[in-house]
Amino acid sequence: MNAQNRRLDGALVLGALAVLLLPWYSQEAGFFDFGWLGTLWQDQASAPALWQIITFQRPWLLIALLMLLVCAPARLLPVSRLRSQLLMGASVIGILFLLFEGHAIGYSGWNWQWSEQLFGALSDGQPAFGAGAILLITTFLLLFSFALAERGVLKGDAFVVAAIVLLVALVTTFVLYPVLSMFVSSVQDVDGSFKPDGLIANMQDPAIWSLGCLKGASCGTAWRTLTLALMTASGSTLLGLAFALAATRTPLPFKKGLRLLTILPIITPPFVIGLALMLLFGRAGVVTELLASLFGIEPGRWLYGLTGIWIAQVLSFTPIAFLVLIGVVEGVSPSLEEASQTLRANRWRTFRYVSLPLMAPGLANAFLISFIESMADFGNPMVLGGSHGVLSTEIFFSVVGAQNDPSRAAVLAIILLCFTLSAFILQRLWLAGKNFATVTGKGDSGTHCGLPRGLRYGVYALVIPWGLFTLVVYGMILIGGFVQSWGLDNSLTLGHYARAFGFQWNNGQIAWTGVAWNSFWTTLEIALIAAPLTAIVGLLTAWLIVRQKFAGRQTFEFMLMLSFAIPGTVIGVSYIMAYNLPPLEITGTALILVACFVFRNMPVGVRGGIAAMSQLDRSLDEASLTLRASSFRTLRKVILPLLKPAISAALVYAFVRAITSISAVIFLVSAQYNMATSYIVGLVENGEYGVAIAYSSVLIVVMLAVILTFQLLVGERRLRRAITATPPVTPPAALHQENAL
């Protein structure tokens, strides 16, 4: 049996499982409750597709079943053009039909009036897709991929073709489809008719585009957001590079503590950093009152505006830039630096013309990610923005509250997307046509040259004060959890921690009596599921983009950045609009939270993977493939071990963002699946600041423990041979004398 037939047999077995043994429609108690096993062939709600057709009068499902049966005889045909055409045709028809009938038929029958007039009324409707329907669609996608591989697409590599097809399907489902659903609703009237009046009026709003700042007035929301994003991206990239250089190129002590310090801001809910800055620099803050008492300086409101948001965002996003840059800085070849110094270039010239240009992919990606993060940030502007709203907060208030204007939210999202894509295109133009490969598979030993003295002191001047400032901010966070009521009653107490995470022993069992335990366990579970999925999907996508050439690669990369470029508020609203009704009804479930985290945070893994893979020479892949290793084996055995910094960064970032995300989560949580950030926001709204800070402090400790575990599991990559002491060579005469003795 050849490989083509083995793959085809596996796909057909999955299809048979989908239509014969799995519930076709979604289960109210959830698929993993497994309560449907007892009523699989008796109950209409849990019956598989074949029983839905025969017993429960849903004949339209017969077309999908017939397309699967058409693919089965192809197994008996030899690998040929006829076989691939048969598989492609049947799978495409099956996918399109399932998508059509899933959207056209709802709970009570036809959703569209023209379809009822064309096909007649239905006696019964249908709920949303379940495990059987989703598995059958996946089967058709695999069959389509295998047919393309048999036609010679991408050199007949079935793994590469299937990976591209499945990723395109996932990105279309969880990125493009919800965003388009939101935009469609923005030009619809209440009855569903086309009405773009609100979209046009909001696009012409002077509050968005005003350039009053040139005349001493306030700028429009769009220009204010763009200015803030450029400032934040520049500051975060500069500090991230300084921390990466300090950790790898200087004799600075406590480097492990330095790395931990750079991770602290990223593992903190964003509004908590804003709250800590208010405790320090607000009108009643510690520093403000100290300056007033010592120098008579009047308390001001300088923190509430772009300045305060900028400080909080640089605190929050510098660690992201550091995580992207640390692997790139480590990956610069010492041999190139030694060659430069051998040619009598000093340390500054070596760094300026050799090391720094090779870090360009990391710098560009760090800037781009920080820029997008600033654009999409919601927590910091919400806490510190005051009257200086940005696009993300304006979108939130356009959707929630008295405005309820989806057209305005769509316009603001389009503007934000244009800014983000412009930065993305400029980055691509800057890096186009340049080669940054430094890891070639050849022996490469030596150590990195030290930084020039002036640059080293400049790095210290940035890293040490910023590190101390970060420690002060986190000191305020930790102290705030032990203070009874900040500014009113500064007595110390453990009551906030006891209220949040109290427990008791009852009959030899632990009773979790704290109010935060339910959301804590839910958050931890969903984050641990989402983190590895995000890393896998992100790094696989990066490998496909960098190493494979296929039609639509640029469009595919654009679709990936789409979810990262749009604020979390828009992502949350669009997910509710898209997945609140059939065919995919997952609102209120854990699945919608996992999907949101995976596809919202995946671009960081993609950008980090692209930056790291830009330094891996293609000859590594080619050597493995020449030795008849499959592309999957090459990826697993050759590429992934060299991407350990990118894997660690993707895991850490995905896990942390799943715990600390707020803007999208606040729309998607439910009573059963309530996340930590949403619960903390509720505590803040109720004035329980001490409990909120105590909960945040516990989350920080837990995230640190999990991050260290991830780093131990992933390990460190080894790019070059270790330098060991060479034993002295014994002269031949001595050898003869030793043998004689």
Side-chain angles (χ1 to χ4, degrees):
M1 183 185 296
N2 56 31
Q4 290 92 337
N5 286 336
R6 285 197 300 270
R7 290 194 295 264
L8 190 57
D9 288 344
L12 292 174
V13 168
L14 289 178
L17 179 67
V19 299
L20 296 177
L21 297 176
L22 292 179
W24 185 257
Y25 296 115
S26 62
Q27 303 301 296
E28 186 173 351
F31 176 79
F32 293 102
D33 180 73
F34 295 111
W36 50 270
L37 286 172
T39 59
L40 185 60
W41 292 284
Q42 292 84 25
D43 186 19
Q44 183 179 13
S46 58
L50 187 59
W51 271 255
Q52 296 286 352
I53 297 170
I54 298 174
T55 308
F56 301 112
Q57 289 78 47
R58 289 189 170 117
W60 57 85
L61 299 179
L62 184 62
I63 298 177
L65 185 59
L66 288 175
M67 291 302 102
L68 182 63
L69 293 176
V70 168
C71 293
R75 168 67 176 78
L76 304 176
L77 298 175
V79 177
S80 61
R81 186 178 183 86
L82 175 62
R83 168 166 145 161
S84 61
Q85 287 180 339
L86 183 64
L87 289 173
M88 289 175 62
S91 58
V92 168
I93 293 173
I95 292 171
L96 293 178
F97 172 75
L98 287 173
L99 294 179
F100 168 76
E101 67 92 8
H103 285 88
I105 304 175
Y107 284 106
S108 57
W110 293 107
N111 288 327
W112 304 323
Q113 187 175 2
W114 64 266
S115 55
E116 183 173 351
Q117 295 174 351
L118 184 62
F119 300 108
L122 293 175
S123 58
D124 192 13
Q126 64 177 2
F129 284 162
I134 294 172
L135 183 59
L136 185 58
I137 293 176
T138 305
T139 300
F140 283 137
L141 290 171
L142 289 174
L143 291 171
F144 178 74
S145 305
F146 298 156
L148 288 177
E150 291 182 6
R151 295 285 297 269
V153 175
L154 291 173
K155 301 179 181 180
D157 195 323
F159 171 73
V160 174
V161 176
I164 292 173
V165 169
L166 291 177
L167 283 173
V168 168
L170 287 172
V171 171
T172 302
T173 303
F174 292 107
V175 177
L176 190 61
Y177 174 69
V179 172
L180 290 178
S181 298
M182 186 196 66
F183 286 159
V184 168
S185 66
S186 69
V187 294
Q188 283 183 335
D189 204 352
V190 179
D191 58 356
S193 60
F194 179 71
K195 187 179 180 181
D197 298 353
L199 188 72
I200 296 172
N202 284 303
M203 188 66 77
Q204 300 173 346
D205 188 356
I208 299 175
W209 300 109
S210 172
L211 287 173
C213 50
L214 300 178
K215 302 177 181 179
S218 61
C219 269
T221 308
W223 304 123
R224 192 160 54 237
T225 306
L226 178 61
T227 303
L228 176 65
L230 291 172
M231 292 168 54
T232 299
S234 301
S236 299
T237 305
L238 179 62
L239 280 170
L241 179 61
F243 275 105
L245 291 174
T248 58
R249 302 293 187 91
T250 67
L252 187 70
F254 309 112
K255 289 185 179 180
K256 291 186 178 180
L258 178 66
R259 293 195 180 207
L260 182 63
L261 192 63
T262 58
I263 292 174
L264 275 176
I266 200 176
I267 62 176
T268 307
F271 48 82
V272 176
I273 291 181
L275 183 59
L277 291 176
M278 289 171 59
L279 297 178
L280 281 171
F281 303 110
R283 291 183 63 85
V286 175
V287 176
T288 303
E289 292 186 346
L290 183 63
L291 291 176
S293 62
L294 293 179
F295 305 105
I297 299 176
E298 281 292 324
R301 297 186 57 85
W302 64 270
L303 183 67
Y304 303 98
L306 293 185
T307 304
I309 300 173
W310 178 73
I311 295 173
Q313 286 188 346
V314 173
L315 264 173
S316 301
F317 306 144
T318 293
I320 304 174
F322 171 77
L323 289 173
V324 172
L325 287 168
I326 184 68
V328 177
V329 172
E330 289 177 338
V332 174
S333 173
S335 299
L336 296 176
E337 296 178 338
E338 290 175 357
S340 173
Q341 291 186 320
T342 302
L343 295 173
R344 299 184 180 179
N346 57 27
R347 289 185 176 184
W348 171 252
R349 192 173 180 84
T350 298
F351 179 81
R352 170 69 175 81
Y353 292 102
V354 177
S355 304
L356 191 61
L358 291 173
M359 301 173 192
L363 292 171
N365 284 310
F367 186 91
L368 180 64
I369 290 173
S370 301
F371 181 87
I372 295 173
E373 281 280 13
S374 175
M375 282 277 184
D377 183 30
F378 173 76
N380 292 314
M382 193 72 176
V383 174
L384 299 172
S387 59
H388 299 274
V390 294
L391 287 173
S392 58
T393 55
E394 290 296 319
I395 290 169
F396 176 77
F397 290 120
S398 297
V399 174
V400 178
Q403 291 190 37
N404 191 19
D405 190 353
S407 297
R408 182 174 180 80
V411 168
L412 296 174
I414 292 172
I415 295 169
L416 189 147
L417 183 60
C418 290
F419 285 150
T420 306
L421 292 180
S422 298
F424 178 68
I425 292 171
L426 290 174
Q427 183 229 34
R428 293 295 299 270
L429 292 176
W430 182 41
L431 297 179
K434 299 177 182 178
N435 182 21
F436 303 94
T438 60
V439 182
T440 62
K442 300 178 182 179
D444 188 13
S445 60
T447 57
H448 293 291
C449 69
L451 295 177
R453 179 179 299 179
L455 180 60
R456 185 170 71 250
Y457 291 152
V459 167
Y460 290 161
L462 285 174
V463 168
I464 295 175
W466 191 259
L468 294 175
F469 177 60
T470 304
L471 285 176
V472 171
V473 170
Y474 278 86
M476 297 301 296
I477 294 174
L478 293 176
I479 294 172
F482 294 100
V483 174
Q484 186 71 38
S485 181
W486 194 274
L488 298 176
D489 183 1
N490 292 330
S491 59
L492 298 180
T493 179
L494 292 175
H496 301 314
Y497 287 92
R499 172 167 164 71
F501 295 101
F503 61 90
Q504 295 177 352
W505 287 94
N506 290 331
N507 299 324
Q509 295 182 344
I510 298 179
W512 309 102
T513 58
V515 297
W517 282 117
N518 185 34
S519 62
F520 175 80
W521 294 124
T522 300
T523 302
L524 200 60
E525 179 183 359
I526 290 177
L528 288 174
I529 294 173
L533 291 177
T534 306
I536 291 170
V537 174
L539 293 175
L540 177 61
T541 304
W543 177 70
L544 292 173
I545 291 173
V546 173
R547 288 296 196 256
Q548 307 298 326
K549 295 181 180 180
F550 55 92
R553 185 174 59 173
Q554 305 272 348
T555 304
F556 180 54
E557 194 170 358
F558 158 74
M559 291 171 62
L560 291 175
M561 298 306 297
L562 193 64
S563 66
F564 195 66
I566 296 181
T569 50
V570 179
I571 293 292
V573 172
S574 64
Y575 267 47
I576 290 176
M577 292 181 177
Y579 303 127
N580 199 36
L581 294 170
L584 195 59
E585 187 178 1
I586 57 176
T587 301
T589 67
L591 178 59
I592 195 171
L593 291 167
V594 172
C596 176
F597 291 143
V598 169
F599 293 96
R600 175 109 171 94
N601 301 326
M602 178 182 63
V604 173
V606 173
R607 304 312 305 175
I610 289 175
M613 262 185 277
S614 298
Q615 295 181 318
L616 303 183
D617 195 272
R618 289 180 179 271
S619 61
L620 295 172
D621 306 50
E622 294 167 357
S624 177
L625 296 173
T626 301
L627 295 173
R628 297 184 179 180
S630 65
S631 57
F632 176 72
R633 186 176 179 84
T634 300
L635 175 64
R636 186 167 59 93
K637 294 288 188 180
V638 178
I639 302 299
L640 287 182
L642 296 174
L643 293 180
K644 287 186 177 180
I647 295 173
S648 179
L651 282 172
V652 167
Y653 183 80
F655 176 79
V656 168
R657 286 305 299 265
I659 289 184
T660 60
S661 178
I662 177 61
S663 52
V665 165
I666 203 166
F667 293 96
L668 303 179
V669 294
S670 60
Q672 184 178 1
Y673 298 101
N674 192 15
M675 300 290 287
T677 49
S678 175
Y679 190 81
I680 292 173
V681 168
L683 292 173
V684 173
E685 289 178 348
N686 293 331
E688 300 185 52
Y689 299 108
V691 180
I693 294 177
Y695 195 171
S696 301
S697 303
V698 171
L699 286 180
I700 292 171
V701 174
V702 170
M703 283 186 281
L704 282 176
V706 175
I707 287 170
L708 293 175
T709 304
F710 279 156
Q711 292 181 343
L712 290 175
L713 291 176
V714 173
E716 296 182 358
R717 66 176 177 180
R718 295 182 179 180
L719 298 182
R720 31 193 85 89
R721 295 189 298 267
I723 301 176
T724 58
T726 305
V729 178
T730 306
L735 286 175
H736 288 300
Q737 185 178 3
E738 184 180 6
N739 291 333
L741 293 174

